[in-house]
Short mmCIF file of all heavy atoms in Angstrom, two decimals:
data_model
loop_
_atom_site.label_atom_id
_atom_site.label_comp_id
_atom_site.label_asym_id
_atom_site.label_seq_id
_atom_site.Cartn_x
_atom_site.Cartn_y
_atom_site.Cartn_z
N ILE A 5 101.80 106.79 86.76
CA ILE A 5 101.57 106.57 88.20
C ILE A 5 102.72 107.18 88.98
O ILE A 5 103.88 107.11 88.56
CB ILE A 5 101.47 105.07 88.52
CG1 ILE A 5 100.37 104.40 87.69
CG2 ILE A 5 101.26 104.84 90.01
CD1 ILE A 5 98.99 104.91 87.95
N CYS A 6 102.39 107.77 90.12
CA CYS A 6 103.44 108.34 90.97
C CYS A 6 103.06 108.14 92.43
O CYS A 6 101.97 107.68 92.75
CB CYS A 6 103.65 109.83 90.67
SG CYS A 6 102.23 110.87 91.02
N GLU A 7 104.01 108.48 93.28
CA GLU A 7 103.79 108.40 94.71
C GLU A 7 104.15 109.75 95.30
O GLU A 7 105.19 110.33 94.99
CB GLU A 7 104.67 107.30 95.30
CG GLU A 7 104.31 106.91 96.70
CD GLU A 7 104.98 105.61 97.11
OE1 GLU A 7 106.23 105.57 97.16
OE2 GLU A 7 104.26 104.64 97.38
N VAL A 8 103.27 110.29 96.13
CA VAL A 8 103.50 111.56 96.79
C VAL A 8 103.82 111.25 98.26
O VAL A 8 103.02 110.62 98.94
CB VAL A 8 102.27 112.49 96.69
CG1 VAL A 8 102.54 113.82 97.40
CG2 VAL A 8 101.90 112.73 95.23
N TRP A 9 105.00 111.69 98.70
CA TRP A 9 105.43 111.49 100.09
C TRP A 9 105.19 112.76 100.87
O TRP A 9 105.49 113.86 100.39
CB TRP A 9 106.90 111.13 100.15
CG TRP A 9 107.24 109.75 99.68
CD1 TRP A 9 106.44 108.90 98.97
CD2 TRP A 9 108.46 109.06 99.89
NE1 TRP A 9 107.11 107.73 98.70
CE2 TRP A 9 108.36 107.80 99.27
CE3 TRP A 9 109.65 109.39 100.54
CZ2 TRP A 9 109.38 106.88 99.29
CZ3 TRP A 9 110.67 108.46 100.54
CH2 TRP A 9 110.54 107.22 99.93
N VAL A 10 104.65 112.61 102.07
CA VAL A 10 104.35 113.76 102.92
C VAL A 10 104.71 113.39 104.36
O VAL A 10 104.23 112.37 104.88
CB VAL A 10 102.84 114.12 102.87
CG1 VAL A 10 102.54 115.30 103.77
CG2 VAL A 10 102.39 114.36 101.44
N THR A 11 105.54 114.21 105.00
CA THR A 11 105.79 114.00 106.43
C THR A 11 104.69 114.68 107.22
O THR A 11 104.14 115.71 106.82
CB THR A 11 107.18 114.51 106.86
OG1 THR A 11 107.30 115.88 106.50
CG2 THR A 11 108.28 113.69 106.24
N VAL A 12 104.38 114.08 108.38
CA VAL A 12 103.32 114.59 109.26
C VAL A 12 103.83 114.60 110.70
O VAL A 12 104.69 113.80 111.07
CB VAL A 12 102.04 113.75 109.15
CG1 VAL A 12 101.45 113.84 107.74
CG2 VAL A 12 102.28 112.30 109.53
N GLY A 18 98.35 112.46 110.45
CA GLY A 18 98.57 111.48 109.38
C GLY A 18 97.29 110.79 108.97
O GLY A 18 96.97 110.68 107.78
N LEU A 21 94.86 113.33 107.17
CA LEU A 21 95.27 113.61 105.79
C LEU A 21 95.07 112.38 104.90
O LEU A 21 94.63 112.51 103.75
CB LEU A 21 96.71 114.10 105.75
CG LEU A 21 96.98 115.44 106.43
CD1 LEU A 21 98.47 115.77 106.38
CD2 LEU A 21 96.17 116.56 105.81
N MET A 22 95.39 111.21 105.43
CA MET A 22 95.21 109.98 104.68
C MET A 22 93.74 109.81 104.29
O MET A 22 93.42 109.56 103.12
CB MET A 22 95.69 108.79 105.53
CG MET A 22 95.55 107.45 104.90
SD MET A 22 96.38 106.09 105.79
CE MET A 22 95.91 106.34 107.47
N VAL A 25 92.59 112.57 101.52
CA VAL A 25 92.95 112.38 100.10
C VAL A 25 92.18 111.22 99.50
O VAL A 25 91.83 111.25 98.32
CB VAL A 25 94.47 112.22 99.87
CG1 VAL A 25 95.22 113.49 100.22
CG2 VAL A 25 95.06 111.03 100.56
N LEU A 26 91.86 110.21 100.31
CA LEU A 26 91.07 109.10 99.80
C LEU A 26 89.62 109.54 99.57
O LEU A 26 89.04 109.22 98.52
CB LEU A 26 91.13 107.90 100.76
CG LEU A 26 92.48 107.21 100.82
CD1 LEU A 26 92.52 106.20 101.96
CD2 LEU A 26 92.83 106.54 99.49
N LEU A 30 91.57 111.53 95.37
CA LEU A 30 92.84 111.99 94.83
C LEU A 30 93.87 110.87 94.80
O LEU A 30 94.91 111.02 94.17
CB LEU A 30 93.37 113.15 95.67
CG LEU A 30 92.54 114.43 95.64
CD1 LEU A 30 93.07 115.43 96.65
CD2 LEU A 30 92.52 115.01 94.24
N ALA A 31 93.60 109.78 95.49
CA ALA A 31 94.55 108.68 95.59
C ALA A 31 93.81 107.35 95.61
O ALA A 31 92.66 107.27 96.02
CB ALA A 31 95.39 108.82 96.85
N ALA A 32 94.52 106.32 95.18
CA ALA A 32 93.98 104.97 95.24
C ALA A 32 94.31 104.30 96.56
O ALA A 32 93.56 103.48 97.07
CB ALA A 32 94.56 104.13 94.10
N CYS A 33 95.45 104.69 97.14
CA CYS A 33 95.97 104.01 98.33
C CYS A 33 96.91 104.97 99.04
O CYS A 33 97.62 105.75 98.40
CB CYS A 33 96.72 102.76 97.90
SG CYS A 33 97.63 101.92 99.20
N VAL A 34 96.91 104.90 100.36
CA VAL A 34 97.88 105.65 101.16
C VAL A 34 98.47 104.72 102.19
O VAL A 34 97.74 104.09 102.95
CB VAL A 34 97.24 106.86 101.87
CG1 VAL A 34 98.29 107.64 102.65
CG2 VAL A 34 96.51 107.77 100.90
N ASN A 35 99.79 104.62 102.20
CA ASN A 35 100.47 103.89 103.26
C ASN A 35 100.96 104.91 104.28
O ASN A 35 101.43 105.99 103.90
CB ASN A 35 101.68 103.12 102.72
CG ASN A 35 101.27 102.10 101.69
OD1 ASN A 35 101.60 102.25 100.52
ND2 ASN A 35 100.52 101.09 102.08
N PHE A 36 100.85 104.58 105.54
CA PHE A 36 101.23 105.49 106.60
C PHE A 36 102.24 104.80 107.51
O PHE A 36 101.94 103.80 108.14
CB PHE A 36 100.00 105.92 107.39
CG PHE A 36 100.26 106.87 108.53
CD1 PHE A 36 101.29 107.79 108.51
CD2 PHE A 36 99.43 106.83 109.63
CE1 PHE A 36 101.50 108.65 109.57
CE2 PHE A 36 99.62 107.70 110.70
CZ PHE A 36 100.66 108.62 110.68
N LEU A 57 105.17 109.34 108.00
CA LEU A 57 105.30 109.51 106.55
C LEU A 57 104.11 108.90 105.84
O LEU A 57 103.79 107.72 106.06
CB LEU A 57 106.59 108.85 106.05
CG LEU A 57 106.83 108.89 104.55
CD1 LEU A 57 107.06 110.32 104.07
CD2 LEU A 57 108.02 108.01 104.18
N LEU A 58 103.46 109.71 105.00
CA LEU A 58 102.41 109.21 104.12
C LEU A 58 103.02 108.93 102.75
O LEU A 58 103.80 109.74 102.24
CB LEU A 58 101.30 110.26 103.95
CG LEU A 58 100.55 110.68 105.19
CD1 LEU A 58 99.55 111.78 104.84
CD2 LEU A 58 99.85 109.51 105.84
N MET A 59 102.66 107.80 102.16
CA MET A 59 103.08 107.45 100.81
C MET A 59 101.79 107.25 100.00
O MET A 59 101.10 106.24 100.15
CB MET A 59 103.93 106.18 100.82
CG MET A 59 105.23 106.38 101.60
SD MET A 59 106.29 104.91 101.67
CE MET A 59 105.25 103.82 102.63
N ILE A 60 101.49 108.26 99.19
CA ILE A 60 100.20 108.37 98.52
C ILE A 60 100.35 107.92 97.07
O ILE A 60 101.10 108.52 96.30
CB ILE A 60 99.71 109.82 98.59
CG1 ILE A 60 99.61 110.29 100.05
CG2 ILE A 60 98.38 109.99 97.84
CD1 ILE A 60 99.49 111.79 100.23
N LYS A 61 99.61 106.89 96.68
CA LYS A 61 99.64 106.40 95.29
C LYS A 61 98.55 107.10 94.50
O LYS A 61 97.38 107.05 94.85
CB LYS A 61 99.39 104.89 95.22
CG LYS A 61 100.62 104.06 95.51
CD LYS A 61 100.88 104.03 96.96
CE LYS A 61 101.95 103.01 97.31
NZ LYS A 61 102.28 103.09 98.72
N THR A 62 98.96 107.75 93.40
CA THR A 62 98.02 108.50 92.57
C THR A 62 98.53 108.52 91.15
O THR A 62 99.52 107.87 90.82
CB THR A 62 97.82 109.93 93.14
OG1 THR A 62 96.73 110.56 92.46
CG2 THR A 62 99.07 110.77 93.03
N THR A 63 97.86 109.27 90.31
CA THR A 63 98.32 109.44 88.92
C THR A 63 99.11 110.74 88.82
O THR A 63 98.91 111.67 89.62
CB THR A 63 97.13 109.49 87.95
OG1 THR A 63 96.30 110.60 88.28
CG2 THR A 63 96.33 108.19 87.98
N ARG A 66 96.96 113.80 88.69
CA ARG A 66 96.31 114.27 89.94
C ARG A 66 97.31 114.68 91.01
O ARG A 66 96.92 115.18 92.07
CB ARG A 66 95.42 113.17 90.52
CG ARG A 66 94.29 112.66 89.65
CD ARG A 66 93.21 113.65 89.26
NE ARG A 66 92.54 114.35 90.31
CZ ARG A 66 91.42 113.96 90.94
NH1 ARG A 66 90.87 112.80 90.65
NH2 ARG A 66 90.86 114.72 91.86
N ALA A 67 98.60 114.50 90.77
CA ALA A 67 99.62 114.76 91.79
C ALA A 67 99.61 116.21 92.28
O ALA A 67 99.76 116.46 93.48
CB ALA A 67 101.00 114.38 91.28
N VAL A 70 96.81 116.65 94.67
CA VAL A 70 97.17 116.06 95.97
C VAL A 70 98.02 117.06 96.75
O VAL A 70 97.75 117.35 97.92
CB VAL A 70 97.93 114.72 95.80
CG1 VAL A 70 98.49 114.25 97.13
CG2 VAL A 70 97.03 113.67 95.17
N GLU A 71 99.05 117.59 96.10
CA GLU A 71 99.92 118.56 96.75
C GLU A 71 99.13 119.76 97.28
O GLU A 71 99.29 120.17 98.44
CB GLU A 71 100.99 119.05 95.78
CG GLU A 71 101.88 120.12 96.35
CD GLU A 71 102.85 120.67 95.31
OE1 GLU A 71 103.47 119.88 94.58
OE2 GLU A 71 102.97 121.92 95.25
N TRP A 73 95.94 120.02 98.00
CA TRP A 73 95.05 119.63 99.09
C TRP A 73 95.84 119.45 100.39
O TRP A 73 95.40 119.92 101.45
CB TRP A 73 94.28 118.34 98.73
CG TRP A 73 93.17 118.08 99.68
CD1 TRP A 73 91.88 118.51 99.56
CD2 TRP A 73 93.26 117.37 100.92
NE1 TRP A 73 91.16 118.09 100.66
CE2 TRP A 73 91.98 117.39 101.50
CE3 TRP A 73 94.28 116.72 101.59
CZ2 TRP A 73 91.69 116.80 102.72
CZ3 TRP A 73 94.00 116.12 102.81
CH2 TRP A 73 92.73 116.15 103.38
N ILE A 74 96.99 118.81 100.29
CA ILE A 74 97.84 118.60 101.47
C ILE A 74 98.27 119.94 102.05
O ILE A 74 98.17 120.17 103.27
CB ILE A 74 99.07 117.73 101.14
CG1 ILE A 74 98.65 116.28 100.82
CG2 ILE A 74 100.10 117.78 102.25
CD1 ILE A 74 98.09 115.50 101.99
N VAL A 85 106.32 117.89 100.74
CA VAL A 85 105.48 117.18 99.77
C VAL A 85 106.36 116.91 98.57
O VAL A 85 106.78 117.83 97.88
CB VAL A 85 104.25 118.02 99.36
CG1 VAL A 85 103.38 117.23 98.38
CG2 VAL A 85 103.45 118.47 100.57
N ILE A 86 106.66 115.63 98.33
CA ILE A 86 107.60 115.24 97.28
C ILE A 86 106.91 114.20 96.40
O ILE A 86 106.40 113.20 96.89
CB ILE A 86 108.88 114.65 97.90
CG1 ILE A 86 109.56 115.69 98.77
CG2 ILE A 86 109.81 114.13 96.81
CD1 ILE A 86 110.66 115.12 99.64
N THR A 87 106.93 114.44 95.10
CA THR A 87 106.33 113.50 94.16
C THR A 87 107.42 112.72 93.44
O THR A 87 108.34 113.30 92.89
CB THR A 87 105.45 114.25 93.13
OG1 THR A 87 104.45 114.98 93.85
CG2 THR A 87 104.79 113.29 92.16
N LEU A 88 107.27 111.40 93.48
CA LEU A 88 108.24 110.49 92.88
C LEU A 88 107.55 109.64 91.81
O LEU A 88 106.47 109.10 92.05
CB LEU A 88 108.83 109.56 93.93
CG LEU A 88 109.46 110.24 95.15
CD1 LEU A 88 109.71 109.22 96.24
CD2 LEU A 88 110.74 110.91 94.74
N ILE A 90 106.70 106.38 89.66
CA ILE A 90 106.80 104.92 89.77
C ILE A 90 107.10 104.44 88.36
O ILE A 90 106.26 104.55 87.47
CB ILE A 90 105.51 104.31 90.34
CG1 ILE A 90 105.28 104.82 91.77
CG2 ILE A 90 105.58 102.78 90.29
CD1 ILE A 90 104.00 104.34 92.40
N TYR A 97 98.14 95.99 89.48
CA TYR A 97 98.17 96.99 90.55
C TYR A 97 98.14 98.40 89.95
O TYR A 97 97.40 99.27 90.41
CB TYR A 97 99.41 96.80 91.43
CG TYR A 97 99.51 97.77 92.58
CD1 TYR A 97 98.65 97.66 93.67
CD2 TYR A 97 100.45 98.78 92.58
CE1 TYR A 97 98.73 98.55 94.74
CE2 TYR A 97 100.54 99.67 93.65
CZ TYR A 97 99.68 99.55 94.72
OH TYR A 97 99.77 100.43 95.77
N ILE A 101 95.26 101.36 90.42
CA ILE A 101 95.49 102.75 90.84
C ILE A 101 94.80 103.70 89.87
O ILE A 101 94.06 104.60 90.27
CB ILE A 101 97.01 103.08 90.94
CG1 ILE A 101 97.63 102.31 92.11
CG2 ILE A 101 97.21 104.60 91.11
CD1 ILE A 101 99.13 102.43 92.18
N VAL A 105 91.52 106.26 90.97
CA VAL A 105 91.67 107.72 91.05
C VAL A 105 90.75 108.36 90.02
O VAL A 105 90.97 108.27 88.83
CB VAL A 105 93.13 108.14 90.83
CG1 VAL A 105 93.26 109.66 90.88
CG2 VAL A 105 94.04 107.51 91.86
#
Side-chain angles (χ1 to χ4, degrees):
I5 304 297
C6 64
E7 193 166 63
V8 180
W9 288 14
V10 180
T11 55
V12 296
L21 295 176
M22 179 170 47
V25 295
L26 291 170
L30 295 172
C33 172
V34 182
N35 300 112
F36 179 32
L57 177 66
L58 299 177
M59 297 179 295
I60 303 165
K61 279 77 170 174
T62 190
T63 61
R66 301 297 305 269
V70 171
E71 176 185 315
W73 192 91
I74 292 292
V85 182
I86 299 168
T87 302
L88 305 167
I90 297 176
Y97 182 71
I101 292 173
V105 178

